[in-house]
Amino acid sequence: MSLRCLIVDDEPLAHDIILRYMEDVPFLENCGQCYRATEVPDFLNRQAIDLIFLDVRMPKLNGLDFLRTLQQRPLVIITSAYEEHALESFDLDVCDYLLKPFRFERFLKAVNRALADYTLRQQAATTAPLTPPVTPATPETIYIKSDKKQILLNLDDVYYLESLGNYVKVWDEQRFLLTQRTLSSFESQLPADTFIRIHKSYILNKKFVRYIEGNIISLKNGKQLPLGKNYKHVVKQLLNGQGT
């Protein structure tokens, strides 16, 4: 398996570094280079791409603004010299954020994460239609289609849900199920007195919150989730223990 890659950066040196790193990663295939975000739509119309290395500050069109224009997005790793764009980038479901200058080992960690996400998407896309479940769902349960099965989950066991583009990871204490759905579709189905949206990419079961510190919500299983900048209002609801 290989990832078809596109480099988008206005700095030639940045291209040289990424190309040199890619030579030592067997599953990365360089398919092209753009020096302006405005060049990318035409390139994507001609060439299928799995992963984009995307700079943020570029002439005419900001990398993140460009990303918002894409309806079908490849995987994206941000490569930027400015750390202040990190939170906004993760709100757009990027795989990782590489702060320039970055070493090869940090680059390798990012592309391994991208490969893992790509593999999960491919597995979810191959699931076949299934016969209707024999056990009806209840207000306390939900069916999750994952790995060619319809799996009945107890909502009390669901810690949180994590968006992955058009897929969602449904997490229990330590493991997750991947399903081809959007996070918004879950939000309309889950009981609002128990589950709360805390980020563009996360819905949380309130009963598993251990503590809140700044923009981080720590769970009882040790996991930490980000609190999105547009979801600050939910802190009062969590602290008041509404619905718990």
Side-chain angles (χ1 to χ4, degrees):
M1 180 182 296
S2 63
L3 298 181
R4 296 164 294 186
C5 302
L6 172 66
I7 303 171
V8 185
D9 200 306
D10 61 327
E11 299 177 357
L13 179 59
H15 287 250
D16 293 343
I17 292 172
I18 294 174
L19 287 171
R20 186 169 71 248
Y21 286 170
M22 287 176 63
E23 291 177 355
D24 292 321
V25 183
F27 60 80
L28 297 182
E29 175 188 353
N30 176 38
C31 289
Q33 300 166 243
C34 295
Y35 291 86
R36 298 286 189 276
T38 51
E39 302 171 5
V40 179
D42 182 62
F43 185 95
L44 294 179
N45 286 334
R46 295 181 282 105
Q47 170 73 54
I49 291 296
D50 303 312
L51 174 63
I52 298 178
F53 295 97
L54 181 65
D55 189 20
V56 176
R57 297 190 181 182
M58 290 181 286
K60 294 187 179 180
L61 182 61
N62 176 289
L64 298 184
D65 289 339
F66 155 72
L67 197 53
R68 293 185 182 92
T69 69
L70 294 180
Q71 293 185 345
Q72 298 294 328
R73 297 177 186 172
L75 298 167
V76 175
I77 294 175
I78 297 296
T79 58
S80 175
Y82 304 94
E83 61 182 4
E84 59 263 32
H85 301 297
L87 181 59
E88 184 180 2
S89 297
F90 285 112
D91 279 343
L92 294 171
D93 295 325
V94 302
C95 288
D96 209 336
Y97 192 97
L98 294 178
L99 188 63
K100 299 174 181 176
F102 47 86
R103 295 179 176 272
F104 175 74
E105 55 266 29
R106 183 64 183 87
F107 175 85
L108 184 59
K109 180 179 179 180
V111 297
N112 279 332
R113 180 176 297 170
L115 180 63
D117 286 351
Y118 178 81
T119 302
L120 288 173
R121 289 187 182 186
Q122 294 298 105
Q123 291 173 348
T126 60
T127 55
L130 300 174
T131 56
V134 295
T135 304
T138 70
E140 295 79 29
T141 61
I142 189 173
Y143 272 99
I144 302 294
K145 182 179 179 181
S146 180
D147 193 25
K148 301 182 180 180
K149 303 179 182 70
Q150 292 279 6
I151 301 173
L152 186 65
L153 292 183
N154 190 327
L155 290 177
D156 282 342
D157 296 329
V158 177
Y159 270 61
Y160 63 95
L161 298 90
E162 178 184 4
S163 174
L164 185 66
N166 291 324
Y167 299 86
V168 171
K169 294 179 181 179
V170 182
W171 285 87
D172 62 13
E173 185 174 4
Q174 296 296 337
R175 299 173 298 176
F176 68 85
L177 295 173
L178 184 73
T179 184
Q180 190 173 9
R181 287 182 58 177
T182 64
L183 200 61
S184 295
S185 71
F186 275 107
E187 188 174 17
S188 62
Q189 182 181 5
L190 294 169
D193 60 337
T194 306
F195 289 86
I196 188 168
R197 189 79 169 254
I198 62 167
H199 188 280
K200 181 180 179 181
S201 300
Y202 294 96
I203 293 176
L204 172 67
N205 188 334
K206 292 187 285 186
K207 79 172 189 176
F208 292 117
V209 174
R210 184 180 179 191
Y211 63 84
I212 303 171
E213 183 175 7
N215 294 328
I216 298 297
I217 299 176
S218 183
L219 306 186
K220 293 178 181 179
N221 64 350
K223 296 286 184 68
Q224 292 186 327
L225 304 181
L227 177 63
K229 62 181 180 180
N230 295 325
Y231 297 88
K232 305 288 187 180
H233 61 280
V234 307
V235 172
K236 183 177 180 180
Q237 186 176 350
L238 290 170
L239 292 176
N240 289 341
Q242 297 181 15
T244 58

